[in-house]
Amino acid sequence: MPEVAERLGIPVNRVHQLVRDHSLIAVRESGVLRVPAEFIAETGVVKHLPGVLTLLYDAGYNDDEALRWLYTPDESLPGTPAEALRGNRATEVKRRAQALGF
């Protein structure tokens, strides 16, 4: 988390708040909370990630399921939703995440 805070230019406690608010997602590995590097852009958190996370949580996903969905390859995107969020396909990722709730 300190490295994430440094990359975002914010205090560590603010990074923890972003995770609690579901604006950012983290996983625990060997007792250490980690944020996938793909979710941090030069200007901050990847632009559409908070909205997609909200849609996934509203659809009943937990953190592990949301991460699995974000990193599951989808030939029709192509690639993973996480990769698509960093490109020009974020709208399609949001549409698919929204459809999961129905």
Side-chain angles (χ1 to χ4, degrees), residues 7-63:
R7 285 186 62 189
L8 293 175
I10 59 176
V12 174
N13 63 340
R14 178 71 180 121
V15 175
H16 287 282
Q17 185 65 45
L18 289 171
V19 172
R20 280 192 301 274
D21 292 345
H22 299 296
S23 295
L24 190 59
I25 192 167
V27 294
R28 196 166 292 280
E29 280 184 359
S30 304
V32 177
L33 206 55
R34 299 181 187 275
V35 173
E38 294 84 10
F39 296 153
I40 308 298
E42 290 181 21
T43 58
V45 174
V46 169
K47 184 177 179 180
H48 298 284
L49 179 65
V52 169
L53 290 175
T54 297
L55 291 168
L56 292 173
Y57 292 126
D58 286 351
Y61 281 53
N62 63 31
D63 288 346

